[in-house]
Amino acid sequence: MQTHDVSNQVAPLENINLYTTDLALQEGVRNHGAAWHAAMLQAQGAELASSEVQQLAELANRHRPELHSHDRSGHRIDTVQFHSAWHALLELLRRPALHALPWMQPGTGAHVARAAGYYLHGQVEAGSLCPTTMTFAAIPVLRQEPELFAQLQGRLFSREHDSRDLPLHHKRSALIGMGMTEKQGGSDVRSNTSTAVAVAAPGRGAAYLLSGHKWFFSAPMCDAHLMLARSEQGLSCFFVPRWLPDGGKNPIHIQRLKDKLGNCSNASAEVEFDEAWALMVGEEGRGIATIIEMANHTRLDCVIGSAALMRQALVQAIHHARHRSAFGRHLAEHGLMRNVLADLALESEAATQLMLRLAHAFDAPDDPLERAWKRIVTPAAKFWICKRALQFTGECMEVWGGNGYVETGPMARLYREAPVNSIWEGSGNVMCLDVLRAIEREAQGFILLLQQLQQAAAGHPLLDARLSALKRLLAMPATERESLARRLVQELVLALQGMLMLQHAPAASSDAFLASRDQAGDGRVYGTLGDTDAVRLDAILQRAWPG
């Protein structure tokens, strides 16, 4: 029996172009030397927003990976089965080389081009980004071992996804995972207890047998993992393949898969290994130093991934508000809703501007200023943007009302996905303390960074006031700085975002951002913009999502 007509329900947002509708992203790609990649990004933006790919994302998250520890005869196989949608998503990541682009095509704007493509995919499905990120970050580490890298390079640089669980020499491509944390340590990897015993002569490039466990083993079906284990001279880094050189299975036993809040399409595991075969990468006893470059890249990807979640949540919120009516008008026509949406738009653009500027720094690692951006601003941005994504996605879900709180729409998955980047690769406190250490180690570069901010603040009282607040925090004794590290990092990131908005965004957006973030440390919520001029708010919203 039909009791009513279905009306005032918003149609799904699909079959658009994620790239050509994002003005800030397009401008950033041009401004940071990656315009040569625009055609690929445009094609990627159209494909990812298609209804077919959106369905792949939904299927990959609904049908979680399944662990099969033994076969029907009782043999240990340690296999994780994924839905076919997962492999289709990895193919979409592999084709534009988001796992290796700057290493395959080094040059001007290479990291920016890759960041933009990664950002587009992150708006559609986040779990598949995990093995892509780890492979990307592992390549500069593996390059430190020329003989090993020569064997892997063709498979690492392949644009084809090979889902088969076979020894590496039988595969057309390879994915690399990570196994760092253990039960007793978490972020404190120096407390790791896993051991490594040399098969013959010890040292760099030599074979070892590893015994121990890993509490979070990311993407267990990767073809190999980089692990930390304790050799005679301390924590060292090891390359651990799933299969032995003779074709047998390496004894890396998956005990169970993590039952996670979000990131459901991706498998994370607890594993134990009993004399697993491995090759030492880097100098013995210098495992943490060996993988520090890897951490810089994975943290950048956390920033990009969170900015992507924010962008997609924003677009979904604006689309909904423009087509859903309440109290006689579309939601977006109500003054308070327009304030909320414009505020969210400013936050999203500032995150996008910062992640592109960071990627640009990775394109010029030998420049002292760019090195400061890379070493100091990367952990700062990871702290701030990943943290902001939690509140941001919740606010966008609220725009949808009850429809946002159900699993049949996109908002619930975006919300559940938001916390992972704030936790993975170092929690907020770890990031803030890392910023303080980086400021000391990169003292000259940090002076250049402050000078860049000072030049931008000339003639802009609000940015100048923020910079002064940052300098007061920096002048405090070391013990007080540590207690106030979150506030210091917040001031640093907001100052940098303010500078980038002044440089790249229209005056309506940059002025509103600087004015509204003036009191960001005092419990600010979205929708509290002081300037409520409808023309200016509409200009901000039109820039964020033309329509």
Side-chain angles (χ1 to χ4, degrees):
M1 182 174 66
Q2 184 172 337
T3 61
H4 65 284
D5 294 327
V6 176
S7 62
N8 200 25
Q9 291 289 316
V10 180
L13 183 60
E14 56 190 19
N15 297 320
I16 55 168
N17 191 307
L18 298 178
Y19 183 68
T20 59
T21 53
D22 191 336
L23 298 179
L25 179 63
Q26 293 178 77
E27 292 167 3
V29 165
R30 291 195 298 269
N31 292 337
H32 295 300
W36 54 269
H37 198 59
M40 173 66 80
L41 292 171
Q42 185 169 343
Q44 191 184 351
E47 184 174 25
L48 288 170
S50 68
S51 57
E52 292 80 9
V53 173
Q54 291 192 29
Q55 185 179 28
L56 290 176
E58 196 274 329
L59 288 170
N61 281 270
R62 189 199 312 163
H63 300 283
R64 298 187 178 204
E66 296 180 355
L67 170 63
H68 296 269
S69 59
H70 296 77
D71 67 13
R72 56 190 273 178
S73 302
H75 301 109
R76 185 112 202 182
I77 56 174
D78 293 293
T79 295
V80 180
Q81 286 189 352
F82 293 84
H83 191 275
S84 59
W86 165 262
H87 295 296
L89 290 165
L90 286 179
E91 185 67 37
L92 288 174
L93 282 158
R94 199 91 190 194
R95 199 185 309 143
L98 299 183
H99 66 292
L101 182 62
W103 320 128
M104 295 166 62
Q105 297 175 238
T108 302
H111 279 278
V112 175
R114 186 258 176 186
Y118 188 98
Y119 173 82
L120 293 176
H121 190 101
Q123 294 179 45
V124 178
E125 208 288 310
S128 50
L129 296 175
C130 180
T132 304
T133 283
M134 293 186 297
T135 303
F136 174 70
I139 290 175
V141 176
L142 293 170
R143 274 181 162 171
Q144 298 179 33
E145 301 300 329
E147 184 177 345
L148 174 61
F149 188 72
Q151 300 173 33
L152 298 173
Q153 181 174 348
R155 295 172 180 87
L156 290 173
F157 285 3
S158 171
R159 290 177 182 259
E160 178 184 1
H161 170 61
D162 189 342
S163 63
R164 298 173 300 166
D165 186 17
L166 296 172
L168 265 168
H169 58 274
H170 289 312
K171 296 196 65 173
R172 296 184 294 272
S173 64
L175 288 171
I176 310 296
M178 292 168 57
M180 305 297 173
T181 62
E182 298 182 1
K183 291 184 181 74
Q184 71 283 351
S187 296
D188 183 12
V189 295
R190 288 179 174 82
S191 66
N192 282 9
T193 60
S194 295
T195 59
V197 178
V199 173
R204 188 169 191 163
Y208 281 74
L209 298 179
L210 274 55
S211 296
H213 80 283
K214 295 298 172 185
W215 185 233
F216 273 92
F217 195 69
S218 297
M221 293 311 295
C222 285
D223 300 287
H225 288 75
L226 290 177
M227 293 193 206
L228 289 177
R230 198 168 292 280
S231 61
E232 286 187 1
Q233 296 186 33
L235 276 178
S236 303
C237 181
F238 295 90
F239 173 83
V240 190
R242 272 183 53 77
W243 293 78
L244 296 168
D246 64 6
K249 268 287 181 72
N250 213 0
I252 305 165
H253 302 315
I254 305 173
Q255 305 294 42
R256 63 175 175 175
L257 299 183
K258 297 288 190 181
D259 187 7
K260 297 176 292 184
L261 166 69
N263 209 245
C264 298
S265 66
N266 178 46
S268 301
E270 299 168 23
V271 301
E272 293 194 10
F273 35 97
D274 183 11
E275 296 191 339
W277 186 87
L279 294 174
M280 183 178 286
V281 175
E283 296 180 31
E284 184 174 5
R286 297 276 297 164
I288 294 176
T290 300
I291 64 169
I292 197 68
E293 185 69 15
M294 189 175 187
N296 278 329
H297 290 294
T298 54
R299 288 172 179 177
L300 172 62
D301 277 7
C302 287
V303 174
I304 304 169
S306 289
L309 291 175
M310 292 165 72
R311 170 65 185 177
Q312 182 59 205
L314 170 70
V315 166
Q316 292 287 352
I318 296 176
H319 173 72
H320 182 87
R322 284 177 176 165
H323 294 86
R324 173 78 170 178
S325 296
F327 309 109
R329 289 183 290 171
H330 284 125
L331 290 174
E333 295 173 335
H334 292 270
L336 183 53
M337 179 60 77
R338 194 160 51 234
N339 192 317
V340 171
L341 295 174
D343 205 352
L344 291 166
L346 295 174
E347 186 82 23
S348 176
E349 174 160 358
T352 301
Q353 298 282 8
L354 184 57
M355 71 94 174
L356 289 170
R357 179 61 183 85
L358 265 181
H360 173 71
F362 281 71
D363 277 324
D366 298 327
D367 183 282
L369 175 60
E370 300 308 319
R371 181 179 171 87
W373 271 89
K374 181 179 176 180
R375 296 295 191 190
I376 298 170
V377 183
T378 298
K382 183 193 177 302
F383 163 73
W384 183 249
I385 292 178
C386 297
K387 190 74 69 181
R388 295 297 285 167
L390 278 74
Q391 183 185 0
F392 189 101
T393 51
E395 192 73 61
C396 291
M397 178 189 287
E398 188 175 323
V399 173
W400 274 50
N403 284 348
Y405 199 65
V406 296
E407 295 289 352
T408 49
M411 305 306 284
R413 176 152 53 89
L414 293 173
Y415 184 69
R416 283 187 287 102
E417 204 68 55
V420 68
N421 286 326
S422 193
I423 298 169
W424 191 43
E425 291 303 290
S427 62
N429 284 358
V430 172
M431 290 300 96
C432 291
L433 295 175
D434 197 28
V435 171
L436 296 184
R437 286 190 293 270
I439 287 173
E440 293 179 0
R441 292 171 182 168
E442 302 288 339
Q444 288 302 116
F446 188 58
I447 290 172
L448 295 174
L449 189 62
L450 291 177
Q451 289 175 350
Q452 188 178 38
L453 279 169
Q454 194 68 62
Q455 292 170 1
H460 296 279
L462 290 174
L463 182 55
D464 188 62
R466 170 132 275 140
L467 184 56
S468 297
L470 172 61
K471 290 178 178 178
R472 287 193 294 272
L473 290 167
L474 290 166
M476 288 183 170
T479 53
E480 293 185 46
R481 276 204 310 274
E482 180 176 331
S483 297
L484 293 171
R486 285 191 173 211
R487 181 172 283 271
L488 188 154
V489 172
Q490 175 181 268
E491 294 293 341
L492 173 61
V493 174
L494 287 171
L496 291 169
Q497 285 185 320
M499 176 184 73
L500 293 172
M501 291 292 280
L502 284 171
Q503 292 173 344
H504 302 299
S509 297
S510 59
D511 291 347
F513 181 85
L514 285 166
S516 58
R517 272 60 182 173
D518 189 39
Q519 301 297 325
D522 299 324
R524 185 181 183 279
V525 296
Y526 292 110
T528 56
L529 297 179
D531 185 350
T532 58
D533 180 85
V535 174
R536 279 191 284 271
L537 295 185
D538 286 344
I540 293 170
L541 289 173
Q542 277 296 119
R543 174 173 172 79
W545 184 243

